[in-house]
C-alpha cells in the first residue's frame, strides 16, 4: 500500500488494482495506458486521515480511502452509475471497518458532493485521466 504523499504511477496502479481485485480497472488502464497520468495518494482527500481514523474508529481508513481513490482515479468519465457503486462500496467498507452509521453516511455524502467530475478537483471522478479539464467544466476528452 502506498504511503500518504507517495506518487502512484500507472504501473503501480495496475498492481494495486489487481491486488484489490479491481481487474476491470487494471484492464482499463492496460488497454489505454496513455489515457492516464500518475497521481499523489493523499489518504482521505481534504481530511487529516489519521485523526479522522481515530475519531470514527476505523483503523483501516487509509486503505479504504486508497481503494476508493483507485475507483475514482480510473473511473469511466461521465459514468455516474459506476461512481455511485464506488461510493456505496466506500460507505459499506466504512461500516464494516467500524464506523457508525452516521459517520459512514456523512463520508458517503461528502464524496458524492465533493467528488463530482465537473468540479475538476485533484480527487474528482476520473482524476487520473491524462486529458486536461477546466475548473467547473469537467474533462475535455480528445476527439
Amino acid at each position: 500500500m502506498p504511503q500518504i504523499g507517495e506518487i502512484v504511477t500507472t504501473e503501480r496502479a495496475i498492481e494495486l488494482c489487481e491486488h484489490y481485485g479491481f481487474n476491470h480497472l487494471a484492464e482499463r488502464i492496460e488497454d489505454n495506458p496513455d489515457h492516464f497520468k500518475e497521481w499523489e495518494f493523499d489518504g482521505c482527500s481534504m481530511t487529516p486521515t489519521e485523526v479522522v481514523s481515530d475519531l470514527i474508529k476505523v483503523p483501516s481508513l487509509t486503505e479504504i480511502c486508497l481503494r476508493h481513490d483507485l475507483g475514482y482515479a480510473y473511473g469511466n468519465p461521465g459514468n455516474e452509475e459506476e461512481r455511485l457503486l464506488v461510493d456505496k462500496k466506500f460507505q459499506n467498507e466504512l461500516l464494516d471497518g467500524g464506523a457508525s452509521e452516521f459517520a459512514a453516511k456523512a463520508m458517503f455524502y461528502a464524496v458524492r458532493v465533493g467528488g463530482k467530475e465537473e468540479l475538476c478537483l485533484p480527487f474528482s471522478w476520473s482524476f487520473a485521466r491524462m486529458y486536461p479539464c477546466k475548473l467547473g467544466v469537467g474533462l475535455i476528452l480528445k476527439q
Side-chain angles (χ1 to χ4, degrees):
M1 185 170 91
Q3 299 298 309
I4 294 174
E6 188 175 324
I7 300 299
V8 178
T9 64
T10 302
E11 294 78 21
R12 180 77 170 120
I14 293 169
E15 291 171 7
L16 289 166
C17 288
E18 289 173 345
H19 173 77
Y20 289 117
F22 301 153
N23 297 329
H24 66 290
L25 296 179
E27 288 172 13
R28 184 178 287 163
I29 300 165
E30 288 171 334
D31 288 347
N32 296 291
D34 58 324
H35 288 190
F36 302 99
K37 62 184 176 185
E38 61 184 29
W39 49 278
E40 182 179 341
F41 176 55
D42 64 358
C44 295
S45 303
M46 298 191 62
T47 67
T49 304
E50 290 180 13
V51 173
V52 174
S53 178
D54 288 342
L55 285 173
I56 67 169
K57 299 177 179 25
V58 178
S60 58
L61 183 62
T62 303
E63 192 166 10
I64 291 169
C65 289
L66 172 62
R67 287 190 292 269
H68 186 255
D69 280 1
L70 290 168
Y72 261 55
Y74 305 104
N76 196 20
N79 190 333
E80 272 301 306
E81 185 177 313
E82 181 181 356
R83 181 173 166 246
L84 180 60
L85 289 173
V86 170
D87 290 344
K88 284 183 177 180
K89 182 173 175 58
F90 176 64
Q91 181 181 20
N92 289 332
E93 286 190 36
L94 291 168
L95 290 168
D96 291 345
S100 68
E101 186 78 29
F102 174 81
K105 279 185 179 179
M107 292 181 77
F108 170 81
Y109 287 117
V111 296
R112 293 303 299 159
V113 172
K116 291 181 179 179
E117 185 175 358
E118 60 268 17
L119 295 177
C120 192
L121 297 170
F123 48 82
S124 294
W125 182 251
S126 298
F127 69 80
R129 286 280 168 164
M130 185 64 80
Y131 308 118
C133 59
K134 294 181 182 177
L135 191 59
V137 176
L139 293 174
I140 300 172
L141 299 176
K142 281 187 176 177
Q143 300 296 325

